[in-house]
Amino acid sequence: MRILIAEDDGVLADGLLRALRGAGAAVDHVASGSEADAALMTNKEFDLLILDLGLPKMHGLEVLRKLRARGSSLPVLILTAADSVDERVKGLDYGADDYMAKPFSLQELEARVRALVRRRMGGASDSIKHGPLTYDQAGRVAMLDGRMIDLSARELGLLEVLLQRVGRMVSKDQLVERLCEWGEEVSNNAIEVYIHRLRKKIEKGSIRIATVRGLGYCLEKIPG
Ligand code: CA
């Protein structure tokens, strides 16, 4: 899961980064509205935007308005000052999916983040099922035939992306973008290594990670 945080309060941003990285997400941070706007225009692989409304250089509402004007349906969670009912209503009118009034608990924010990402994937619960494979997003645990699989953080992230797009091809570039934050160097070769390790751990059952030659990967059920 890849998240963009636009927040100019350094202390709050640090807390958010730590909490969400701890929950297994790749998280990038910008401290102004114009940077948020630029990042959203160039990177389409974010799963969620956490947007403070009171941002320098471009107001959060303007960032949101421009995002929706480009036709993006990216889930957006806005952060508002406690007393600004007016801004909150405007934010929702402009196409925000949810809001949190400051101050808030990080635990509640994490739960709302999960709910928004889940809703985007069309799911009703925190776990994704595919054949013998179950992935619990809240607990970051994957099970195969009811048994827990021992996966590294990277392997879990990879599995999460593949499960979100079962039956569809995911390119190596997309995997890199979904798994890595800015400044993190992960090559296509490294992705191949992670895929290899993940395969060894999950391909006992009736599922496999198919290689679409030169293009990417696809998680699929083995017929029969
Ligand atoms: Ca602010």
Side-chain angles (χ1 to χ4, degrees):
M1 190 197 311
R2 185 145 177 214
I3 298 172
L4 179 65
I5 297 174
E7 170 62 67
D8 60 324
D9 177 333
V11 176
L12 178 56
D14 274 355
L16 290 172
L17 280 163
R18 222 169 304 140
L20 294 168
R21 282 181 180 149
V27 193
D28 295 301
H29 170 233
V30 290
S32 75
S34 51
E35 284 173 285
D37 187 50
L40 292 165
M41 272 195 277
T42 48
N43 193 319
K44 312 287 182 212
E45 292 295 327
F46 287 113
D47 296 293
L48 177 75
L49 167 66
I50 296 178
L51 178 66
D52 176 35
L53 292 187
L55 286 174
K57 291 187 190 151
M58 189 188 290
H59 195 272
L61 283 174
E62 181 61 8
V63 175
L64 179 59
R65 192 194 62 75
K66 290 181 74 176
L67 177 74
R68 294 298 185 237
R70 290 192 294 271
S72 169
S73 61
L74 178 72
V76 178
L77 173 66
I78 52 173
L79 306 180
T80 69
D83 52 355
S84 60
V85 177
D86 194 39
E87 275 201 338
R88 204 176 303 165
V89 171
K90 263 192 199 149
L92 293 169
D93 282 347
Y94 277 42
D97 298 274
D98 201 355
Y99 71 88
M100 296 210 66
K102 296 175 186 179
F104 49 81
S105 88
L106 287 175
Q107 225 184 338
E108 186 183 352
L109 179 114
E110 281 177 44
R112 293 210 188 190
V113 164
R114 284 199 302 273
L116 285 172
V117 173
R118 189 165 69 211
R119 209 184 300 160
R120 187 184 206 197
M121 297 184 323
S125 81
D126 257 342
S127 70
I128 312 175
K129 254 179 133 54
H130 181 59
L133 200 62
T134 311
Y135 175 62
D136 174 5
Q137 287 189 293
R140 303 270 300 159
V141 172
M143 316 261 277
L144 187 64
D145 291 321
R147 279 205 204 140
M148 216 210 296
I149 328 169
D150 185 22
L151 298 174
S152 70
R154 229 7 140 205
E155 290 160 359
L156 267 175
L158 202 56
L159 182 63
E160 188 179 64
V161 177
L162 290 169
L163 272 170
Q164 285 168 357
R165 302 177 185 203
V166 163
R168 280 181 291 162
M169 205 272 296
V170 187
S171 74
K172 283 182 200 168
D173 288 343
Q174 279 176 319
L175 285 172
V176 170
E177 285 207 13
R178 292 288 298 273
L179 296 174
C180 303
E181 301 171 359
W182 298 326
E184 242 187 310
E185 294 285 330
V186 172
S187 64
N188 280 6
N189 283 348
I191 293 287
E192 282 175 25
V193 172
Y194 295 133
I195 288 279
H196 175 74
R197 290 189 196 143
L198 184 59
R199 267 195 183 127
K200 284 212 289 199
K201 293 179 182 178
I202 69 165
E203 285 195 343
K204 288 167 207 148
S206 50
I207 45 163
R208 69 173 169 190
I209 301 169
T211 302
V212 185
R213 212 153 272 294
L215 296 172
Y217 303 96
C218 176
L219 187 68
E220 55 184 35
K221 272 189 201 157
I222 298 169

